Amino acid sequence: MKTFCGRANPSTGALDWVEESEEYDYHQEIARSCYADMLHDHDRNKKYYQGIRAAVARVKARGEKVIILDIGTGTGLLSMMAVTAGADFCYAVEVFKPMAEAAQCIVEKNGFSENIKIINKHSTDVTVGPDGDMQMKANVLITELFDTELIGEGALPSYEHAHQNLVQEGCEAVPHRATVYARLVESELLWSWAQLQPAEVEGVRLAPPPAVAHCAGAHAVCDIQLSQVSPHSFTPLGPLCSMFSVDFSKPVSSAFQSHSSQFVAQSGGRAQVVLSWWDLDMDPSGSIVCTMAPSWTYPQPKMAPWRDHWMQSVYFLPVESRVREGEELSLTVCHDDYSLWYSLQPHSQQDLPSEAPPSRPCCTCQAHLVWTRPRFGELNDRRRTESYVRALRSVLREDSVCLGVSDGSLLPVFAHMIGAKKVYSLENSRMSKQVIEQVLEANSMKGGVELLEIRPKQLTSNDLGGEQISVLMGEPYFSTSLLPWHSLFFWYCRTALAGLLQPRAAILPCSATLHMVAVEFQDLWRIRAPCGTCEGFDVTPMDEMVQRSLDFRESREAEPHPLWEYPCRALTQATAVMTFDFTQCVPQQPISSQGSLPFIRIGRCHGVALWMEYHLTDDITVSAGLIGPISEQGECEWSRHRKQGVYFFRSPCESSGDGRAAVSYSFTFEPSLGDIKMDFSV
């Protein structure tokens, strides 16, 4: 059965009605699930296996039958480990139906169907008793319910319910305990993702609005591959603190809690950011530890295990504060059932009776709801700002009438500061409009930019006071963009506005190019690589399930990834493969491009990276991908502000680096769809 679905097209801005199979969402979720990443995490698997063996042995030593409850079983891997270790029976709970069906196939394929029962339910719906899902309560609780923040997938409520209803008192648990660690740091780089910094335009300071500067910001955790943030990018102000632990073998509460750690400041500076991660103790003695610590905490960073399903957390303090070396401080972490947040106080204030636990941060200025953290970083990028200001200066005249087309952009403000006669800006939402209004008011420029909540197609000459546009400008940035070429929405806006443009109007950027390079990923390939055998168990039914979903559509599409977090080596030169001329309207006919890129470095090619570069003028370009030359060894430096596109090959290919083999490519831009179809072969 097929159904019509309405989807907002991020490139054209149109609402497209498309006929989709009823299985589309199902396949898309599986294809993008990255289950393979967990199975390729040998360190995680090994530590779980060791912990399970030890827990089963402890129960057997007491003369008891070993009954396992495995919550969030996924492929059934941990249950199969338990039976292999000597467990008598396993109840394996998995709420996601496709995964539960795959687990059933895997359990049968490995010969464990008599000892493992797959229960396709949420654990809080599981029943115990003669007619229940479980015949008896379990005496070993195995779970993998964690995310980067530890508790963000609902681990605490699930544990709370399990201890009350599904497991015996005094049960063994694998993992046995989790401990959350935190470190207070000063970091200009990380803080630029949380607060709008002052900018300088034509010698005039553009200050952030007070409401933004004093706002506690968005409450959601910033989860990143902290290993890719150089220790040179931050200054530790205190030691690594153990904030709190959760013992999973005992009843767990999901109620609000707060924990504090006192320490003496190791150096003076601005307290801005908390870096956090957690460890799992797989056994009561703490001898089997699985840590999420970033690689730079290791004596040999290259020995650190890589994982994408569990990363590290960055928390932004509600208020930046000065600390002195030697000052006694108290760092407090609070959590509810799903999230954590941090605050900092001088130690002297910690025990005051009037001090209530800090409430969860909440954005009151709206900027943190309009701008994502990478977007804050982009707006705070001084070099990037200088490029746009130089480009604007080269096209603006005293009589210029400017129109800005980008979401929550400061370009119209810059144009006003440089001296344009009149500046308009199209905003996609009232909230975005109000944020830019705050910026104007804070800098005594109220009314300097006329903000219009109008779609380009609806804009008329009356909205512009009867004048024609002499400068059309955009970064371009749109909050709906996922893939690099979705910013071609600017081109469609330019086409819709063609009747309002002066005959020789300046378009900024004047063009854009799509670039590609074939790459070898250090680790990211794991999220798409079939697993085959995991710790001695055959998990090919899961590989087949994922491949079926990829074949449904996803395998012929690129996917967005922030490549600065995922190191890769270029095996070919980087090249521009398509050009989009914004000085002209969107063409009626498709644009096609074919070619090949010879391999010039030895390595294993996992796919290609794709990005856009915007040519503001003939000599000023801003890249949303590579921001420096590729090194002789093929190392790449990527923009932190935008995600790049990644097209994974179904199977990696070996490159001898002698230029005899090449990646052949074919791109077709379909104007009616606003999409780019691509195909590659080696």
Side-chain angles (χ1 to χ4, degrees), residues 603-652:
R604 170 171 279 202
C605 184
H606 297 110
V608 299
L610 302 140
W611 69 97
M612 297 287 277
E613 293 188 1
Y614 303 104
H615 308 288
L616 308 185
T617 63
D618 291 340
D619 59 350
I620 303 174
T621 295
V622 172
S623 174
L626 283 178
I627 55 174
I630 296 170
S631 76
E632 196 173 314
Q633 293 75 33
E635 293 165 346
C636 303
E637 185 182 3
W638 299 97
S639 168
R640 287 190 170 100
H641 309 322
R642 304 274 180 111
K643 290 183 179 180
Q644 292 72 42
V646 176
Y647 187 108
F648 286 101
F649 295 162
R650 177 173 289 194
S651 301

Side-chain angles (χ1 to χ4, degrees), residues 419-483:
K421 172 188 167 185
K422 186 67 180 175
V423 183
Y424 298 90
S425 179
L426 301 186
E427 294 297 335
N428 72 330
S429 70
R430 179 148 307 173
M431 196 178 296
S432 175
K433 177 182 173 185
Q434 289 170 346
V435 169
I436 302 302
E437 283 174 344
Q438 288 183 59
V439 173
L440 292 167
E441 193 166 338
N443 291 276
S444 303
M445 290 187 281
K446 189 173 182 180
V449 177
E450 190 165 336
L451 303 167
L452 306 172
E453 270 187 88
I454 303 175
R455 295 182 65 81
K457 285 183 178 179
Q458 276 76 54
L459 191 70
T460 67
S461 179
N462 289 337
D463 298 313
L464 303 176
E467 299 201 69
Q468 287 188 304
I469 301 161
S470 58
V471 178
L472 179 65
M473 58 192 175
E475 300 184 36
Y477 172 84
F478 303 102
S479 58
T480 52
S481 297
L482 295 174
L483 289 161

Side-chain angles (χ1 to χ4, degrees), residues 211 214-220 318 341 359-366 368-369:
H214 299 141
C215 180
H219 72 267
W341 59 96
S359 58
R360 190 213 305 253
C362 176
C363 176
T364 55
C365 71
Q366 301 186 88
H368 299 90
L369 306 177

Side-chain angles (χ1 to χ4, degrees), residues 189-195 222 224 316 372-373 376-377 564 640:
L189 168 66
L190 298 177
W191 192 242
S192 74
W193 300 350
Q195 289 292 343
C222 177
I224 62 171
F316 302 99
T372 64
R373 280 157 182 150
F376 266 99
W564 73 268
R640 287 190 170 100

